[in-house]
Amino acid sequence: MASSSFLQMMMLVLFIIAFGTTKSGVVVNAQTSPPIAPGLSLIFHETNCPNLETIIRNRLWTIFNSDIAQAAGLLRLHFHDCFVQGCDGSVLLDGSASGPSEKNAPPNLSLKAEAFRIIEDLRVRVHAACGRIVSCSDIVAIAARDSVFLSGGPYYRVPLGRRDGLNFATQNATLQNLPPPSANASVLISALATLNLTATDLVALSGGHTIGIGSCGSFEDRLYPTQDTTMDQTFARNLKQTCPALNATNTTVLDIRTPNVFDNRYYVDLMNRQGLFTSDQDLYTDSRTRPIVTSYAVNQSLFFERFVFSMIKMGQLSVLTGSQGEIRSNCSARNPASSSSYLSSVVDIDQGQQEAVEGESAAF
Ligand SMILES: *[C@@H]1O[C@H](CO)[C@@H](O)[C@H](O)[C@H]1NC(C)=O
Ligand SMILES: *[C@@H]1O[C@H](CO)[C@@H](O)[C@H](O)[C@H]1NC(C)=O
Ligand SMILES: *[C@@H]1O[C@H](CO)[C@@H](O)[C@H](O)[C@H]1NC(C)=O
Ligand SMILES: *[C@@H]1O[C@H](CO)[C@@H](O)[C@H](O)[C@H]1NC(C)=O
Ligand SMILES: *[C@@H]1O[C@H](CO)[C@@H](O)[C@H](O)[C@H]1NC(C)=O
Ligand SMILES: *[C@@H]1O[C@H](CO)[C@@H](O)[C@H](O)[C@H]1NC(C)=O
Ligand SMILES: *[C@@H]1O[C@H](CO)[C@@H](O)[C@H](O)[C@H]1NC(C)=O
Ligand SMILES: CC(=O)N[C@H]1CO[C@H](CO)[C@@H](O)[C@@H]1O
């Protein structure tokens, strides 16, 4: 589905949206949006960086044309950023518990490492055009939206004006806020409740697994030593070929029906007991979330509407605005002048401990 004709079609839709000639089914209107956080605005960069969104979209269009898999990595980066101490770009910092440093990267996380490189590349382009006025966290939020849209999902406008955080995401914050793929619905519901996200938000945001891949280590506990009884037999047999034993390093798609298309088939997978992670499948087992899964499986428009709502809500979690934080001149490092006193504490972070945090091993 990385075909250029598909992407061209999406660009056309976007063109139509931009010039308001018609109303497309994939545009989710403002009435279904949550309130915009104080300090953020839909037109924040309209006058000082009018080409911001075009620069990002054109670049991502080119990247996705040769590798649509990058879309999932960029979407996941926004999740990880927002879940851990708010959407402040802290996940991008070299030294954060799941940050880009090669030392921290678990094996076979090339997708994630590439996502960090793409964000920094976008920042260079945006700052070259407009100066250092757009934050890395805003760029991550726009890139996530474009990843959704250019993969076939809904288009929505992203509230902008985030500032980049000065603090690294610690291992504790990362572990506490990013539930593992082995988490059940109860754990997920309470983890998201601490972020003021509801069970409906949980099910909608989990729909991000309609694109992307997972590695054996994230679901091998469902295969060995004993097979998870909720798993479809044929699905389990195929997964055992992909991951022949514990500690296998293979990967497989999260949505077996349409792995590279942003649609509602992920929920159809769950209804057929073909969800990859426990954190996916348990949404259909748990009576609190099961009806929500079913409603999205039978109505893609409803899923798109709720996904957009929850993305905008999540995308505004504990944002820094106004004079808080800074606009980084390098997404993976704090600006030099203000950081000298803080940088010394970075070396105190125990590298061994950081490696224990599996960047990809999260339910989102
Ligand atoms: C991290 O969490 C552990 C256990 O949950 C706790 O013992 C430790 O004090 C925490 N560290 C920090 C810096 O908060
Ligand atoms: C969910 O997982 C938690 C932590 O592993 C466990 O304590 C709880 O019993 C589980 N709940 C259900 C309904 O399986
Ligand atoms: C959740 O909502 C409460 C009450 O509105 C607020 O005090 C708290 O800061 C919010 N938490 C987050 C993580 O946004
Ligand atoms: C990886 O998965 C593929 C597809 O299921 C399978 O053919 C291959 O044998 C697996 N590779 C390893 C090393 O297990
Ligand atoms: C898998 O790795 C863990 C930790 O590295 C190790 O304890 C375990 O023995 C390994 N299991 C197999 C089947 O290789
Ligand atoms: C599907 O959801 C949309 C958006 O909420 C709604 O307008 C529509 O009526 C629903 N369709 C059906 C068949 O329920
Ligand atoms: C950005 O910061 C990272 C982490 O400190 C560093 O490795 C990299 O060289 C910096 N990039 C530039 C262009 O200075
Ligand atoms: C370091 C590591 O585990 N690398 C593995 C990544 O995945 C490929 C297959 O997809 C393996 O061949 C590598 O050994």
Side-chain angles (χ1 to χ4, degrees):
M1 282 307 292
S3 77
S4 52
S5 62
F6 177 73
L7 284 167
Q8 263 156 15
M9 192 264 284
M10 300 314 290
M11 291 301 276
L12 179 65
V13 171
L14 195 65
F15 179 84
I16 292 167
I17 295 163
F19 293 92
T21 7
T22 183
K23 203 166 182 316
S24 162
V26 293
V27 191
V28 173
N29 69 43
Q31 288 162 342
T32 56
S33 293
I36 294 177
L40 298 188
S41 156
L42 293 175
I43 57 164
F44 197 87
H45 288 301
E46 199 169 75
T47 48
N48 67 10
C49 194
N51 294 327
L52 168 63
E53 307 211 15
T54 313
I55 293 167
I56 293 178
R57 193 183 319 122
N58 287 348
R59 180 65 189 148
L60 291 181
W61 186 49
T62 304
I63 291 171
F64 297 163
N65 253 320
S66 59
D67 187 6
I68 189 67
Q70 298 305 333
L74 289 168
L75 176 56
R76 186 161 300 181
L77 202 56
H78 185 42
F79 279 115
H80 287 202
D81 187 21
C82 294
F83 274 58
V84 183
Q85 75 188 25
C87 316
D88 65 348
S90 57
V91 72
L92 302 169
L93 287 174
D94 217 348
S96 276
S98 65
S101 156
E102 292 299 323
K103 278 185 211 127
N104 304 341
N108 278 337
L109 289 184
S110 57
L111 195 65
K112 192 155 187 257
E114 188 58 25
F116 287 114
R117 278 193 286 272
I118 292 170
I119 293 298
E120 175 62 9
D121 170 64
L122 292 172
R123 184 204 60 73
V124 168
R125 288 163 194 271
V126 167
H127 287 186
C130 306
R132 185 161 58 84
I133 54 169
V134 180
S135 67
C136 297
S137 41
D138 268 356
I139 292 173
V140 169
I142 297 170
R145 188 273 315 279
D146 287 348
S147 298
V148 168
F149 175 66
L150 293 173
S151 304
Y155 181 83
Y156 56 93
R157 297 188 67 196
V158 182
L160 299 173
R162 293 169 192 76
R163 308 263 301 174
D164 295 321
L166 305 176
N167 301 318
F168 294 86
T170 63
Q171 186 195 18
N172 272 11
T174 305
L175 286 176
Q176 276 163 23
N177 294 313
L178 273 179
S182 59
N184 60 31
S186 296
V187 169
L188 294 168
I189 287 171
S190 25
L192 267 68
T194 67
L195 301 171
N196 292 337
L197 297 172
T198 65
T200 306
D201 293 319
L202 164 65
V203 178
L205 293 172
S206 297
H209 283 181
T210 177
I211 54 173
I213 59 172
S215 52
C216 294
S218 301
F219 57 86
E220 61 184 7
D221 60 318
R222 303 186 65 203
L223 301 172
Y224 312 108
T226 50
Q227 190 184 309
D228 185 334
T229 51
T230 60
M231 197 186 278
D232 170 66
Q233 287 300 335
T234 308
F235 184 62
R237 221 167 15 247
N238 291 337
L239 287 184
K240 282 176 178 167
Q241 270 171 22
T242 303
C243 316
L246 281 174
N247 299 344
T249 55
N250 228 344
T251 59
T252 191
V253 297
L254 287 163
D255 169 13
I256 56 165
R257 286 181 167 72
T258 50
N260 294 323
V261 183
F262 197 100
D263 57 17
N264 68 338
R265 301 302 189 282
Y266 162 81
Y267 301 103
V268 178
D269 298 338
L270 301 190
M271 292 184 74
N272 286 282
R273 299 186 296 131
Q274 295 159 332
L276 189 62
F277 300 158
T278 299
S279 62
D280 298 315
Q281 193 57 54
D282 208 51
L283 298 176
Y284 191 64
T285 305
D286 192 287
S287 61
R288 289 165 293 179
T289 44
R290 182 182 180 121
I292 311 173
V293 169
T294 307
S295 71
Y296 297 166
V298 300
N299 188 342
Q300 179 163 283
S301 304
L302 180 64
F303 164 50
F304 281 4
E305 198 176 287
R306 294 290 163 75
F307 180 79
V308 165
F309 184 94
S310 298
M311 279 295 278
I312 296 174
K313 195 169 160 187
M314 182 203 73
Q316 304 187 95
L317 283 174
S318 307
V319 286
L320 302 175
T321 58
S323 59
Q324 297 173 310
E326 63 184 10
I327 305 291
R328 277 181 215 144
S329 57
N330 171 349
C331 286
S332 49
R334 287 186 52 178
N335 292 341
S338 57
S339 61
S340 51
S341 60
Y342 194 89
L343 276 180
S344 57
S345 69
V346 177
V347 294
D348 296 339
I349 299 172
D350 180 77
Q351 293 293 345
Q353 275 200 333
Q354 284 189 39
E355 282 173 50
V357 181
E358 249 214 48
E360 196 201 20
S361 240
F364 295 94

